[in-house]
Amino acid sequence: MTALAERDSAPSTPEPADPRPSRPVWVRAAPAGLLIATAVLYLWGLGASGWANAFYSAAAQAGGASWRAWFFGASDAAGSITVDKTPAALWVMGLSVRLFGLGSWSVLVPQALMGVGSVGALFATVRRVSGAGAGLIAGGVLALTPVAALMFRFNNPDALLVLLLIAGAYCTVRAIETASPRWLALAGAAGFGFLAKMLQAFLVLPAFALAYLVAAPTSPGRRLLHLLGALGALVVSAGWYLAVVELWPASARPYVGGSQTNSILELTLGYNGFGRITGDEVGSLGGAQSGGSWARLLGGEMAGGIAWLLPAAVIAIGALAWLTWRAPRTDRTRAATVLWGGWLVVSGGVFSLMSGIIHPYYTVALAPAVAALVGTAAVRLWRARAHPIAAGLLSGGVALSALTAYLVLTGDPEWLPWLKYVVLLLGLAAAVLVLVSDRLPRAGARGVAVLALVAALAGSGAYALATAATPHTGALPSAGPVGGGFGGRGGARGGMPGGTGSLLGTTTPGAEVTALLQAGTGNYTWVAATVGSSPAAAYQLASGYPVMAVGGFNGTDPAPTLEQFQQDVAAGRIHYFIGEPTPIRSTGGSDTAERIAQWVAAGHPATTVDGVTVYDLTAKSS
């Protein structure tokens, strides 16, 4: 082991900044091929998902019509309430809507392009340390991770978050090479990802900081000073928006959705912050969950999205630590292991153990770390496979990946039932051949390497293709051939939106109710109001005009107040109210939306249109 570690560790002279040995033709052509293939995977048939998550599509529609709504991330162009996230992802979609008009493609194509950019950025980041081969494997693994194929074809904020996290990792790697405070400050500025999905963007920061602190080629004092500078860049890039919203007069901006006090700081630290970990999320519809475990990532819907190469990534951490055990402090492979391994351990630990709201698609944030670790370790172990421990680790990783794929596919027995056996047999065969590959001719060894890659990626790749081929709509998409959305493939649970029993579901409103909303629109600020942002979004996208989301996403925000709503009705600003009063069982949230619905039902005439109850707010019951 000592000899191997000395051979594979960094030499006494500094490594080149970007190792590109002779740059053969494949090194120049393969990255372009990877990006083209990724673009095809993420763009093909994209319009089949329609509005995808209508909640965000409606906000993009609003941003395309009103700069005020765009800046604050409002759900409607009239600016009644914001979405329950910071709006960076909506800024991208809103600009696309302004440039190309409102449609499924203008909303979803930016996400797909961010996916292609993420694959390219990961390739560039891994290549700088481990060469083009490792970069290509990492990029391919990311592209073929099912949860990535899901979220890069969907309009949740996760696509922008992942792209910015990888950008931060790239800047950190560049900073470590030369102890560059400028590159480290840019890594801090990538904290702009906070404006995509708030505190989740900060889960990678311990790994970035530790990697720089361990490996940057300068004195400890300078390393700490550089980290302080990066912290300042982080505070500015993430904090400026919080300051603007907090200082802006509340009467001149939309209500901050997801908060109970109209405060973006409360949203940051509470509902979207520590509440996600502790389960103490005021206004949520679920309540605290029992504490999870690491097995959470390997079971249920999470397994189909991320589990495929997760065990192999854990082996990769150990293998790379072994390979670089005796390397100099500044060894960049070990620094990369700290970076990607820390990313995986911290983010994976939080997702595993958190007691608050968590959805399977959150695991897309683990995909870059898994991909980078697998790509880096695969190349390093392959080069060192003459050593029995290296060969054993590589063989074990291939076999474990095949076994993991077999188990995941067993959980979906009706889809390609033969695939799990093929993957398992290929994986076991490749694992055995890896053990003797150092004694094979070059062509034979290359064949073994290809077989091992195919075996490791066949299951996740097929599942990613199935995910891309399946339309996904609703608030809670999941990876795989059956995913589709909240309650099933491409559908919604709870029927037509409008009642509080279907707050997370959206379907296309009927032609009659759509025509009703579009009549006389010039006389009203909001053509309708309804409880919950997702039902409101469906009516807004269908009619093309603002619909007030009473109570925000969960229907539990105190916005508007009953008095404000009554004033808007008296002033003739709202035409209709859709949906009957229904109790909302929340965790300590406001009951204002329920009281508004009750007040409407008690004093205004109701009719049934396309199966939903519609109250005319311009008339009073006799």
Side-chain angles (χ1 to χ4, degrees):
M1 172 179 164
T2 301
L4 178 63
E6 290 176 349
R7 186 186 73 186
D8 286 340
S9 63
S12 57
T13 55
E15 296 182 36
D18 189 3
R20 304 177 191 178
S22 56
R23 289 187 62 83
V25 174
W26 74 267
V27 173
R28 298 192 296 270
L34 172 65
L35 296 182
I36 291 172
T38 302
V40 171
L41 175 63
Y42 291 168
L43 287 166
W44 190 270
L46 193 59
S49 292
W51 298 119
N53 190 337
F55 172 57
Y56 292 117
S57 293
Q61 176 197 39
S66 163
W67 285 114
R68 176 174 172 269
W70 176 84
F71 180 77
F72 289 108
S75 295
D76 64 85
S80 60
I81 194 170
T82 72
V83 301
D84 58 355
K85 299 287 187 300
T86 36
L90 296 176
W91 291 344
V92 178
M93 286 187 282
L95 291 176
S96 178
V97 168
R98 281 184 176 271
L99 289 173
F100 304 108
L102 178 66
S104 178
W105 283 83
S106 63
V107 169
L108 295 178
V109 166
Q111 322 307 317
L113 296 181
M114 285 184 239
V116 177
S118 296
V119 170
L122 185 65
F123 164 78
T125 306
V126 174
R127 181 188 60 175
R128 291 200 70 84
V129 177
S130 302
L136 287 170
I137 294 173
V141 169
L142 175 59
L144 293 177
T145 299
V147 71
L150 172 70
M151 298 314 296
F152 290 134
R153 294 173 56 90
F154 206 72
N155 60 327
N156 278 25
D158 300 76
L160 179 60
L161 173 70
V162 170
L163 176 61
L164 291 173
L165 293 183
I166 298 174
Y170 177 83
C171 293
T172 303
V173 166
R174 292 294 300 267
I176 291 172
E177 290 173 0
T178 58
S180 169
R182 179 172 63 91
W183 277 109
L184 195 63
L186 287 174
F192 189 82
F194 171 87
L195 298 186
K197 214 169 179 194
M198 308 191 87
L199 290 184
Q200 185 182 336
F202 292 171
L203 294 180
V204 300
L205 296 182
F208 290 5
L210 183 59
Y212 189 84
L213 193 61
V214 166
T218 189
S219 66
R222 287 185 177 275
R223 277 176 266 161
L224 289 172
L225 187 63
H226 294 171
L227 285 171
L228 287 175
L231 178 62
L234 173 71
V235 170
V236 171
S237 65
W240 70 270
Y241 185 79
L242 300 185
V244 169
V245 175
E246 281 295 302
L247 294 174
W248 204 285
S251 60
R253 59 163 172 78
Y255 185 94
V256 177
S259 73
Q260 296 294 306
T261 60
N262 198 10
S263 168
I264 196 169
L265 290 178
E266 180 203 331
L267 178 66
T268 301
L269 299 176
Y271 181 78
N272 281 335
F274 298 109
R276 295 291 172 116
I277 298 175
T278 65
D280 183 18
E281 296 165 290
V282 177
S284 73
L285 298 179
Q289 307 178 43
S290 59
S293 69
W294 285 95
R296 174 186 274 177
L297 300 176
L298 301 173
E301 292 184 9
M302 285 191 179
I306 195 63
W308 308 86
L309 292 174
L310 194 57
V314 175
I315 290 180
I317 295 174
L320 291 170
W322 170 70
L323 286 168
T324 59
W325 186 255
R326 295 182 180 274
R329 177 184 64 81
T330 57
D331 181 75
R332 292 192 294 118
T333 299
R334 183 167 56 203
T337 305
V338 171
L339 188 154
W340 299 114
W343 176 330
L344 180 61
V345 169
V346 174
S347 296
V350 170
F351 293 159
S352 297
L353 303 175
M354 61 191 286
S355 298
I357 296 172
I358 183 170
H359 303 305
Y361 64 80
Y362 288 6
T363 57
V364 70
L366 302 178
V370 170
L373 288 164
V374 168
T376 301
V379 169
R380 290 295 299 267
L381 289 172
W382 178 257
R383 291 173 181 169
R385 68 190 185 280
H387 193 289
I389 295 180
L393 286 170
L394 185 58
S395 174
V398 173
L400 185 57
S401 297
L403 178 59
T404 303
Y406 173 84
L407 294 174
V408 173
L409 292 170
T410 299
D412 200 350
E414 296 183 2
W415 180 74
L416 300 183
W418 52 267
L419 181 60
K420 58 180 176 289
Y421 302 110
V422 172
V423 170
L424 183 61
L425 290 175
L426 284 178
L428 295 178
V432 171
L433 291 173
V434 163
L435 294 174
V436 298
S437 60
D438 65 307
R439 295 188 287 275
L440 297 176
R442 176 174 295 184
R446 288 178 176 174
V448 172
V450 171
L451 178 63
L453 281 174
V454 170
L457 292 176
S460 65
Y463 221 68
L465 290 173
T467 299
T470 302
H472 292 83
T473 62
L476 304 177
S478 59
V482 182
F486 188 82
R489 181 192 299 269
R493 186 172 72 182
M496 276 296 300
T500 56
S502 58
L503 288 173
L504 300 183
T506 54
T507 57
T508 302
E512 188 176 352
V513 71
T514 299
L516 183 70
L517 296 180
Q518 292 173 333
T521 55
N523 299 323
Y524 305 98
T525 304
W526 294 276
V527 296
T530 191
V531 175
S533 295
S534 291
Y539 293 112
Q540 181 171 300
L541 290 167
S543 67
Y545 294 94
V547 173
M548 179 185 290
V550 177
F553 184 73
N554 291 323
T556 59
D557 298 341
T561 65
L562 176 58
E563 292 73 22
Q564 289 171 330
F565 189 85
Q566 291 170 335
Q567 291 172 8
D568 286 333
V569 170
R573 299 189 185 100
I574 311 172
H575 196 175
Y576 297 107
F577 187 91
I578 305 175
E580 297 179 354
T582 306
I584 303 174
R585 297 177 178 86
S586 70
T587 305
S590 170
D591 66 348
T592 298
E594 291 184 53
R595 292 191 289 116
I596 288 175
Q598 291 167 357
W599 175 79
V600 168
H604 300 84
T607 57
T608 300
V609 183
D610 285 334
V612 296
T613 302
V614 179
Y615 297 91
D616 186 350
L617 300 181
T618 64
K620 294 185 178 181
S621 297
S622 57

